Amino acid sequence: MTTRAIDKLYKSRPTVEGAGVHLKRAFGNSQVPLFDPFLMLDDFHTANPAEYLPGFPWHPHRGIETITYVLEGVVEHGDSMGNKGVIGPGDVQWMTAGSGIIHQEMPQKSPTGMMWGFQFWANLPADRKMMAPRYRDVKAADIPEVTLDSGVRVKIVSGRVNGVQGPVRDIVIDPEMLDVSIPAGAAFRHPVTAGHTAVAYVLDGEGYFDEQRDAFAYEMAGSGWMDLDRRCICGPETVVLYKREGSDVLIEAGERPVRFLFIAGKPLHEPVAWYGPIVMNTQEELRVAFEEFQNGTFIKGA
């Protein structure tokens, strides 16, 4: 077994999306194709209702999958085909936009005062861009959690840990999505399929994500040119992009516990044409998508 090294570290950056939602963008358009097949990761985490209640009103998607994971708060959703529902604490919605869907995602006032959740975008290959849209709504109670001998706890949305399989399966990019909590002083080693992209996003605490423990052994994108704090231990809102060589990842907590999201998937190695909420392979395909959205033929099979 060979442990993967870090390729690059990023810090998430504040931005405003939708109708005025304040969030942190962990990675996005400017990092294509480094995170292939993943396109974007947004972290919305605030106790100020004015920063999340504007939500994401009606908008289209085509050519991608959107994955929403809520830790605290409630998000109501609906689409142009009449589907609607609620994503609550611990729930996941895995939506395949495929040939096209128009939907909205509207956070409600959080019962705890805190709204905290994430949305990933995963790309679809050219031959599946126009597949039929589908939803996979996974309730918190249906997401298995395993506790390892080391005390590490892992919620398994997709993928397998210690023989336990997550509920989201049969996805094009063969993804893994784990919510991992490591006690202070403990470690978590996890196999990753050869060649797959692997990413960790730190939620809380601090941990070592590379056994070299050398902050200058890889590239690091700081929060700004006045950032002089370059440490090998990673704290909240840090994005860890691993090299694709190696059979597993090793994460070790320091004096404090660490919690992070881990995602992995099969890269597509295809051209990306991306504008707004639509991701295709060519500019011509984008032109067609936006023309169809304007003339009312965007939704197929309606």
Side-chain angles (χ1 to χ4, degrees), residues 24-264:
K24 297 288 186 72
R25 178 148 294 156
F27 60 86
N29 195 300
S30 62
Q31 281 88 28
V32 170
L34 290 174
F35 289 82
D36 180 21
F38 303 107
L39 298 163
M40 189 183 77
L41 168 56
D42 282 349
D43 173 1
F44 45 99
H45 189 183
T46 177
N48 181 357
E51 293 185 344
Y52 65 80
L53 284 179
F56 305 91
W58 296 102
H59 58 279
H61 285 297
R62 175 177 286 179
I64 63 172
E65 298 183 293
T66 66
I67 302 99
T68 304
Y69 181 31
V70 173
L71 298 186
E72 289 189 62
V74 175
V75 178
E76 292 185 354
H77 71 90
D79 69 30
S80 52
M81 296 183 292
N83 298 309
K84 59 183 179 180
V86 174
I87 311 170
D91 295 345
V92 171
Q93 182 194 80
W94 201 294
M95 187 192 80
T96 303
S99 62
I101 201 164
I102 301 172
H103 77 157
Q104 64 173 354
E105 298 153 301
M106 302 301 293
Q108 305 302 298
K109 194 161 185 180
S110 174
T112 67
M114 177 67 69
M115 174 62 68
W116 191 9
F118 305 88
Q119 186 168 96
F120 299 93
W121 288 10
N123 205 0
L124 286 170
D127 62 354
R128 304 299 294 276
K129 288 281 189 190
M130 299 298 286
M131 68 185 291
R134 66 182 179 184
Y135 284 99
R136 297 194 182 191
D137 290 312
V138 184
K139 296 302 181 184
D142 297 322
I143 298 174
E145 179 175 321
V146 299
T147 301
L148 307 180
D149 292 342
S150 59
V152 174
R153 293 181 293 109
V154 186
K155 295 181 181 179
I156 311 163
V157 177
S158 183
R160 183 183 295 271
V161 175
N162 209 31
V164 178
Q165 178 79 43
V168 177
R169 308 177 190 183
D170 304 319
I171 301 293
V172 176
I173 60 169
D174 189 22
E176 289 186 276
M177 180 177 169
L178 311 175
D179 180 345
V180 184
S181 298
I182 305 177
F188 174 64
R189 185 182 291 275
H190 180 66
V192 182
T193 302
H196 280 205
T197 301
V199 182
Y201 182 69
V202 184
L203 307 184
D204 192 30
E206 293 182 327
Y208 298 98
F209 287 75
D210 188 324
E211 60 184 353
Q212 296 182 66
R213 299 196 180 188
D214 179 0
F216 291 88
Y218 42 79
E219 285 190 76
M220 184 182 297
S223 57
W225 65 270
M226 284 293 288
D227 188 352
L228 299 175
D229 184 22
R230 183 157 178 163
R231 302 185 301 155
C232 60
I233 197 167
C234 299
E237 299 178 358
T238 301
V239 185
V240 181
L241 175 63
Y242 284 99
K243 293 181 181 292
R244 291 203 175 103
E245 299 81 23
S247 58
D248 60 56
V249 293
L250 174 64
I251 300 92
E252 301 172 274
E255 296 179 356
R256 299 170 53 198
V258 63
R259 182 183 181 186
F260 60 94
L261 297 181
F262 178 81
I263 58 173

